[in-house]
Amino acid sequence: MEQFDEKYFFELYNTHAEKAFKFLIKSFQERLYYHIRKIVLTHENADDVLQNTFVKIWYGLPNFNKQSSLYTWVYRIATNEALSYLRKHKKHFSNNIENGEQNDVVNTLRSDDFFEGNEIELKLQEALSLLPEKQKLVFNMKYFEHMKYDEISEILGTSIGALKASYHIAVKKIKEFLKNN
Amino acid sequence: MRELDKISENQGFKVPDNYFDNFPDNVLNKIKESSDNKKDRFRINPVFMAAASFVATLIIVFVLYKYNSDTELTYSDKIAYLECTIDYSDEDILIEEIASNDYVNADNYDENTYLQEELSEDDMIEFLSNQ
């Protein structure tokens, strides 16, 4: 992962706030986009959430107390924004698999112009949709985004021990799902 | 996890062409829009402001009038107020208060006159018999 120069950012922010903010967007937009997209699934939703995330970052920057790194702070905002978006639109994302109907996630992704996943990628999304929120987040952050446990712990506010347990359970469930389907 | 190894990091998710090129400007425009909206929320129509000022003036005048007329103290109110507030141990203050409120004309104060006016004959007999 490309290193973000926090010191340079804050020096620039103190003199040219807008220029510094543009630099921050360019540095984080792609990583945050895919992080959000894995939570909200469609491009339209991810775009909405990502824009709101950066608006919040802009208004939050003057009060940023530097107790955590900027990197974990922006990830925390993005994660919270995506999760609250999901909660607001809960009905749309509800999973009907319990009623024996086809998984909504698969239908949603098949109708999304910006999803070009193969069958195995669709299966993975189906498996992920059956996981509890935190297990799904931890699995994606650890397995696909290659984050360290201490970073995930700071972003999600969960102990490292609990994260390891969540990841272990998530991997087991996904393996089982892929094996049986 | 062999199947998982076949999955790309972005899990098949794509973005429209040039999406990330235009994104920073889109965000900055959104921020400018939102700060303009915030400013608009506090911008008040001048006609509305004039009407509101007029109504506020009327309310203040009414309240002041009402307050002043309702709080006019009667003579007994003033006495009660003095009884409550004045420290009788300080005679100077008491005298000053009475004099300034014109309850008694201190210049013409005559102790004998006061006694004559206030004590009846029965009172005097009772007083002397108790001595």
Side-chain angles (χ1 to χ4, degrees):
Chain A
M1 194 182 298
E2 208 179 298
Q3 202 64 40
F4 177 76
D5 191 345
E6 232 176 277
K7 199 177 163 223
Y8 167 74
F9 167 76
F10 281 111
E11 276 168 14
L12 189 63
Y13 180 75
N14 289 334
T15 50
H16 301 87
E18 206 174 300
K19 202 174 165 188
F21 187 60
K22 223 169 172 175
F23 167 70
L24 180 129
I25 297 175
K26 281 180 181 170
S27 307
F28 284 106
Q29 60 180 359
E30 207 164 332
R31 279 182 269 177
L32 288 184
Y33 174 85
Y34 287 109
H35 175 70
I36 291 167
R37 181 82 187 263
K38 284 166 198 162
I39 302 171
V40 299
L41 299 179
T42 67
H43 167 71
E44 202 187 342
N45 296 338
D47 179 44
D48 223 18
V49 174
L50 188 64
Q51 286 197 29
N52 291 339
T53 298
F54 278 111
V55 171
K56 285 202 172 162
I57 290 169
W58 169 258
Y59 286 116
L61 268 172
N63 303 319
F64 178 67
N65 55 19
K66 296 180 187 175
Q67 276 177 352
S68 62
S69 71
L70 194 68
Y71 163 76
T72 53
W73 182 67
V74 297
Y75 254 90
R76 193 158 57 234
I77 294 174
T79 308
N80 290 339
E81 199 63 24
L83 292 178
S84 62
Y85 187 91
L86 272 192
R87 281 170 201 139
K88 261 188 232 162
H89 301 83
K90 210 175 180 179
K91 270 190 180 173
H92 179 74
F93 290 97
S94 68
N95 196 325
N96 295 324
I97 208 153
E98 283 171 16
N99 305 327
E101 294 172 30
Q102 195 180 14
N103 194 333
D104 269 2
V105 169
V106 175
N107 291 333
T108 305
L109 290 173
R110 280 209 169 113
S111 60
D112 186 357
D113 292 339
F114 302 105
F115 180 74
E116 292 174 2
N118 52 31
E119 276 309 304
I120 186 90
E121 282 167 336
L122 263 178
K123 279 271 169 258
L124 171 74
Q125 293 307 325
E126 204 175 338
L128 287 170
S129 74
L130 299 172
L131 296 180
E133 198 173 76
K134 197 152 260 178
Q135 283 177 29
K136 183 181 169 181
L137 274 171
V138 175
F139 178 78
N140 273 329
M141 290 164 98
K142 183 79 191 137
Y143 192 86
F144 288 106
E145 296 169 42
H146 314 291
M147 283 186 179
K148 293 173 188 157
Y149 278 120
D150 58 341
E151 290 171 340
I152 303 173
S153 168
E154 215 176 306
I155 293 163
L156 301 182
T158 309
S159 71
I160 292 176
L163 291 175
K164 283 180 178 172
S166 290
Y167 181 72
H168 176 75
I169 295 165
V171 169
K172 203 175 161 192
K173 283 181 184 173
I174 290 167
K175 264 185 183 176
E176 240 169 64
F177 183 88
L178 294 177
K179 199 174 145 191
N180 298 331
N181 293 276
Chain B
M1 301 283 265
R2 239 175 294 146
E3 282 102 337
L4 283 179
D5 294 339
K6 293 173 196 162
I7 296 171
S8 65
E9 209 167 274
N10 295 335
Q11 301 173 3
F13 293 120
K14 303 279 177 229
V15 290
D17 292 339
N18 305 321
Y19 174 70
F20 291 120
D21 298 336
N22 304 327
F23 187 77
D25 290 329
N26 291 342
V27 173
L28 288 169
N29 288 338
K30 195 170 180 172
I31 288 166
K32 274 171 195 158
E33 269 172 36
S34 74
S35 58
D36 285 348
N37 287 342
K38 272 182 192 166
K39 277 180 205 159
D40 283 348
R41 238 180 283 160
F42 294 105
R43 201 173 293 152
I44 303 168
N45 185 328
V47 177
F48 175 78
M49 210 153 76
S53 310
F54 179 70
V55 171
T57 311
L58 279 182
I59 291 169
I60 290 166
V61 169
F62 176 76
V63 168
L64 284 175
Y65 172 76
K66 185 87 181 146
Y67 178 78
N68 285 335
S69 57
D70 283 349
T71 54
E72 190 69 46
L73 292 177
T74 61
Y75 179 76
S76 55
D77 288 337
K78 287 174 182 173
I79 296 292
Y81 170 73
L82 286 173
E83 281 174 355
C84 291
T85 55
I86 292 168
D87 180 1
Y88 284 92
S89 62
D90 193 339
E91 210 177 1
D92 290 342
I93 294 174
L94 178 64
I95 290 165
E96 233 173 74
E97 273 296 323
I98 292 170
S100 66
N101 280 289
D102 210 17
Y103 297 139
V104 174
N105 188 342
D107 295 332
N108 303 323
Y109 181 68
D110 182 344
E111 198 175 351
N112 291 330
T113 314
Y114 175 75
L115 285 173
Q116 277 164 16
E117 277 172 12
E118 293 297 312
L119 289 175
S120 66
E121 202 177 343
D122 290 339
D123 291 331
M124 286 171 80
I125 291 165
E126 198 184 337
F127 173 74
L128 289 170
S129 63
N130 287 334
Q131 292 297 305

